[in-house]
Amino acid sequence: MHYTLLFYQSADEFAARADPKKREAFWASFVPYMKALQDAGIVVAGAGLQPPATATSLRPREGAHRVQDGPFADTKEQLGGFFIIDVPDIDTALKWAARYPAGPEGGVEVRPNLPQTDHDRMAEIAAG
């Protein structure tokens, strides 16, 4: 089954990714985790995300769409990236999430993906 691991970081942790003085320490903790996921052969997809300031959010309002600069939610934690993994069950997904080297304010959200049958059915409906 596919699960998505969503990695949240504080603004300071997010900024450390690009700060020349903190960058090496940040990546030194994350790269071994990323390599372990890949070596286990469970990675389906994944990506790091640009800083939240680069986000653009779209919200439907009164029959139109309102475009807003910045992330969708105004929270302390910011979505920094994700992996989609293929593991047998939620317990295994949680074990991998627990290995994420989150900072003191970071965390991981684990969500099951929709089953492939749902994707296939949506494609049938879209095709008419």
Side-chain angles (χ1 to χ4, degrees), residues 7-122:
F7 304 113
Y8 290 91
Q9 302 165 327
S10 71
D12 289 341
E13 292 165 332
F14 209 106
R17 298 184 341 174
D19 183 325
K21 295 177 183 173
K22 299 177 183 176
R23 180 185 177 116
E24 190 171 323
F26 173 85
W27 289 111
S29 67
F30 183 72
V31 169
Y33 174 71
M34 183 174 60
K35 184 170 178 356
L37 285 166
Q38 292 172 339
D39 289 350
I42 61 173
V43 174
V44 175
L49 301 175
Q50 293 290 333
T54 66
T56 303
S57 300
L58 186 69
R59 297 178 187 258
R61 293 289 186 263
E62 300 173 5
H65 288 95
R66 188 176 107 213
V67 176
Q68 174 183 330
D69 289 339
F72 195 68
D74 185 22
T75 64
K76 287 184 197 179
E77 300 84 21
Q78 302 167 4
L79 182 60
F82 68 94
F83 275 111
I84 299 173
I85 60 173
D86 186 5
V87 294
D89 51 46
I90 186 67
D91 292 332
T92 306
L94 290 172
K95 286 177 184 173
W96 279 103
R99 292 177 63 176
Y100 174 63
E105 297 179 47
V108 182
E109 180 179 341
V110 179
R111 285 198 201 178
N113 291 12
L114 289 173
Q116 186 60 43
T117 54
D118 288 357
H119 292 284
D120 294 343
R121 181 67 185 130
M122 287 186 279

